[in-house]
Amino acid sequence: YEPMAVAVADKGVPMVEVSAPSDLPGGYVFDAVANGQTFSVTVPAGGVSRGQTFRAPFEPGGGGLPAPAVPKERWKDGLFDCCTFGFCHTTLWMAICCRLALLGQVQNRLRLNWLGERAHLGDQSPFKVLLGISIFAMVWSQLFSSLLKGYIDPSTGLPIEGSPYWAIYAVNLAFSCA
């Protein structure tokens, strides 16, 4: 469902009638399109329901991409476009090494919290929360790896019989997969 705006004659700043794309809280900002131009709309105090129309100032250029630049029914980028900017591009390495932090960046741009729900004023940045979880997981994995080394027989390189090696290994593996 794409938000649409219809021009309304008014003195001063041009106003448009905007149809709400979904139930939105007051103060929420989204992009709408009028006359092929994208602009930002702020939901009035009290919020709106899906399909409800309300008046908003029309200030083109304040939104995202121009309407014709937004692809429909296809992806904007190809499968290997992550390599367009070279092998050392930060987004490529974030996707390889720190997936949760990259997910946090995307959620932040979509105005979602770290749980994937619509963010509210004062919510923690999903990037910071998911980066913290990633760092915790890396530290946890290193801790368990060092614990496992203590249960290896130096002469054979195999786990010591009767040691909790496999239990620790299983917990570490389960945590790593989650």
Side-chain angles (χ1 to χ4, degrees):
Y1 182 75
E2 184 175 314
M4 279 186 23
V6 179
V8 175
D10 200 353
K11 294 176 181 142
V13 178
M15 300 294 281
V16 291
E17 287 285 327
V18 179
S19 176
S22 63
D23 296 342
L24 300 171
Y28 184 84
V29 179
F30 66 94
D31 288 344
V33 178
N35 300 328
Q37 294 180 305
T38 304
F39 66 103
S40 291
V41 176
T42 303
V43 175
V48 292
S49 300
R50 181 185 177 116
Q52 180 181 348
T53 58
F54 60 96
R55 292 169 56 95
F58 178 61
E59 297 175 26
L65 298 170
V70 178
K72 292 188 179 192
E73 299 178 9
R74 64 179 175 83
W75 292 102
K76 183 182 78 156
D77 296 318
L79 182 61
F80 295 104
D81 282 353
C82 59
C83 298
T84 300
F85 300 109
F87 188 65
C88 294
H89 194 265
T90 54
T91 305
L92 175 64
W93 283 103
M94 291 240 335
I96 293 170
C97 300
C98 204
R99 297 180 305 268
L100 285 179
L102 184 60
L103 174 64
Q105 279 188 334
V106 172
Q107 286 179 314
N108 199 37
R109 290 180 185 154
L110 293 173
R111 297 181 182 117
L112 301 173
N113 64 17
W114 73 281
L115 296 172
E117 299 166 345
R118 205 173 294 284
H120 299 289
L121 203 59
D123 281 354
Q124 279 283 353
S125 164
F127 172 75
K128 291 178 183 176
V129 172
L130 294 174
L131 179 62
I133 291 171
S134 296
I135 291 169
F136 174 77
M138 287 180 213
V139 170
W140 176 277
S141 181
Q142 289 302 314
L143 174 70
F144 271 77
S145 294
S146 63
L147 277 173
L148 288 174
K149 289 178 187 172
Y151 294 110
I152 299 288
D153 184 355
S155 60
T156 63
L158 298 172
I160 298 170
E161 192 172 324
S163 70
Y165 177 86
W166 292 111
I168 295 171
Y169 179 79
V171 168
N172 190 32
L173 185 62
F175 187 84
S176 298
C177 292

